[in-house]
Amino acid sequence: MIIPVRCFTCGKVIGSIYEEFKKRYEEYKRAVEAGEKPKETPKEILDDLGVERYCCRRMLLTHVDLLEEAAPYE
Amino acid sequence: MILLVKVDFIDLKERSAKLIISDTKPSFVNALRRVMLADLPKLAIEDVIFYENTSPLFDEIIAHRLGMIPLPTDLKLLVPRDKCSCGGKGCANCTVRYTLSKEGPCTVYSGDLQPEKETWSVVDPNIPIVKLFEGQRLILEAEAILGRGRDHAKWQAVQAPAYKYYPKIEIDQSKLDEDAIKKCIEICPKKILVEKDGKLVVSDVEKCSLCKSCMEVCEEGAIKVSGDDTKFIFKFETDGSLKAKDALIESARILEEKYKDFLESLG
């Protein structure tokens, strides 16, 4: 649906960094698809954002944003 | 017996801390860890009144998401509602009120919560709460109160408090040949073993995870890895509602209070 506010396992706030992660991840994806060398890998993005534990990392890596699908239904 | 606990900060930031607690026992450090998890009070949104919600999410989901937002907690200014002189009705001593009013298309962020006083504005203003599309509206009022981690995870101020025994690595150089040194360096998952002048030395003992892989690949008795059960490396993070140092001091105070209560109950 929408990114959870906190990590399910440890409780670290991850909602606030999702938008930046997504922006930088899309830049990485664009570079890979264009055959260029990406500036940073998803691993480096997560490290830079201070997401240390694998419980918080999976929150960002595996999230699927589906809120727009539900948007027409109030 | 007098126990003089010694504390050294290795790393102290606003939202995280790493310290060495020495001359103590695992039971004490564990008590401190559990107080941090379950007994440290923190401010979080408890009641939400919805005036209008035509967003794609249910009232309950939005209320839950609001509850999870870390709010600045000044423990000197607030008392828990059940101990407040107002008798649980909710007054300025025990309750902090927020309002939110937004119309789409936009994203509602935690920073859109308007507190009564500027000092209570949320610590992390970039948490998305819900996305509003054309013509959708969200108008609500929220009340935040003090609570403890044992009642709900939203009142847990400290994240991932953990400790480990201080690693002790003893190396008997006479039992190690060149080949064994190479094997040890190779197998160490934390890469803390290095060769120096033909001898095996430890570069950063605090990083050792006590996995004992190096003990297994070389001759028996050449390396001995053990944990010191009187010295601990203690790490924790906070969500920003309390400063790391304040969280530690407050936890220690709560633990002291618990022992005092115990003593009093003995008569």
Side-chain angles (χ1 to χ4, degrees):
Chain A
M1 213 48 157
I2 188 167
I3 184 77
V5 177
R6 285 167 186 265
C7 168
F8 292 153
T9 305
C10 70
K12 184 187 169 79
V13 176
I14 43 113
S16 53
I17 53 178
Y18 176 68
E19 284 180 0
E20 193 188 338
F21 172 76
K22 199 176 164 190
K23 208 173 81 197
R24 285 161 75 169
Y25 175 75
E26 265 156 19
E27 171 58 29
Y28 161 82
K29 217 168 125 189
R30 190 202 58 77
V32 169
E33 274 165 14
E36 297 163 21
K37 197 175 175 290
K39 209 168 77 219
E40 50 188 358
T41 60
K43 175 187 181 286
E44 286 160 354
I45 302 173
L46 287 170
D47 287 342
D48 187 51
L49 289 170
V51 188
E52 206 179 297
R53 291 175 289 276
Y54 55 63
C55 59
C56 315
R57 291 169 91 97
R58 62 97 206 256
M59 297 301 293
L60 293 164
L61 287 172
T62 62
H63 177 249
V64 185
D65 230 351
L66 283 177
L67 191 69
E68 270 158 63
E69 315 265 318
Y73 314 103
E74 295 189 343
Chain B
M1 188 174 72
I2 303 163
L3 266 176
L4 281 172
V5 180
K6 206 168 144 254
V7 179
D8 294 302
F9 287 97
I10 306 177
D11 187 22
L12 180 66
K13 296 202 189 87
E14 199 171 306
R15 291 194 187 187
S16 70
K18 190 177 177 188
L19 41 139
I20 293 177
I21 305 177
S22 36
D23 297 336
T24 181
K25 285 177 179 170
S27 53
F28 170 75
V29 190
N30 193 40
L32 189 66
R33 182 188 71 87
R34 293 188 61 144
V35 166
M36 276 187 169
L37 275 178
D39 288 310
L40 189 61
K42 189 207 139 174
L43 194 68
I45 289 174
E46 169 75 345
D47 297 307
V48 182
I49 306 157
F50 285 91
Y51 294 108
E52 191 168 355
N53 175 19
T54 47
S55 77
L57 294 183
F58 292 117
D59 293 1
E60 290 88 339
I61 298 177
I62 292 175
H64 178 251
R65 291 179 69 85
L66 290 172
M68 291 310 217
I69 297 169
L71 303 172
T73 307
D74 193 336
L75 295 170
K76 286 188 197 88
L77 293 178
L78 290 163
V79 287
R81 191 177 262 185
D82 52 348
K83 284 185 193 127
C84 184
S85 55
C86 70
K89 268 183 266 160
C91 63
N93 290 328
C94 63
T95 314
V96 180
R97 286 192 171 80
Y98 293 86
T99 53
L100 193 153
S101 168
K102 271 247 156 172
E103 191 172 344
C106 67
T107 306
V108 182
Y109 290 98
S110 54
D112 293 325
L113 279 172
Q114 296 296 326
E116 280 173 321
K117 259 191 268 162
E118 211 45 36
T119 46
W120 296 114
S121 49
V122 293
V123 280
D124 208 337
N126 297 318
I127 306 166
I129 304 302
V130 64
K131 258 185 207 151
L132 296 177
F133 297 88
E134 193 62 49
Q136 294 180 338
R137 277 200 288 184
L138 183 65
I139 303 168
L140 56 87
E141 231 180 77
E143 281 183 3
I145 58 168
L146 281 185
R148 295 183 299 181
R150 59 170 60 172
D151 299 318
H152 193 287
K154 69 182 173 186
W155 284 307
Q156 186 187 311
V158 171
Q159 265 68 247
Y163 63 90
K164 72 171 181 188
Y165 291 176
Y166 199 88
K168 219 163 42 180
I169 307 172
E170 288 159 59
I171 301 169
D172 187 351
Q173 303 288 353
S174 64
K175 285 183 180 170
L176 286 167
D177 54 24
E178 210 172 297
D179 198 37
I181 290 176
K182 232 180 230 167
K183 264 198 217 157
C184 290
I185 294 171
E186 185 97 339
I187 200 116
C188 179
K190 301 283 176 189
K191 303 285 169 225
I192 54 163
L193 294 171
V194 285
E195 198 186 335
K196 202 176 167 190
D197 306 327
K199 281 181 178 175
L200 188 69
V201 289
V202 184
S203 63
D204 188 353
V205 71
E206 280 168 22
K207 274 193 187 158
C208 178
S209 64
L210 303 172
C211 70
K212 301 188 179 174
S213 307
C214 50
M215 275 169 80
E216 280 158 26
V217 292
C218 60
E219 199 186 315
E220 212 182 312
I223 302 181
K224 199 170 160 247
V225 178
S226 57
D228 183 349
D229 67 356
T230 60
K231 195 173 176 187
F232 305 88
I233 301 174
F234 192 93
K235 264 201 294 196
F236 67 91
E237 275 171 35
T238 77
D239 59 7
S241 49
L242 286 158
K243 285 195 177 71
K245 197 164 183 182
D246 293 344
L248 186 68
I249 291 168
E250 188 62 23
S251 301
R253 208 193 52 74
I254 293 166
L255 193 58
E256 187 190 8
E257 207 81 354
K258 276 176 185 286
Y259 282 122
K260 266 187 199 154
D261 282 353
F262 178 63
L263 262 183
E264 266 166 37
S265 70
L266 291 175

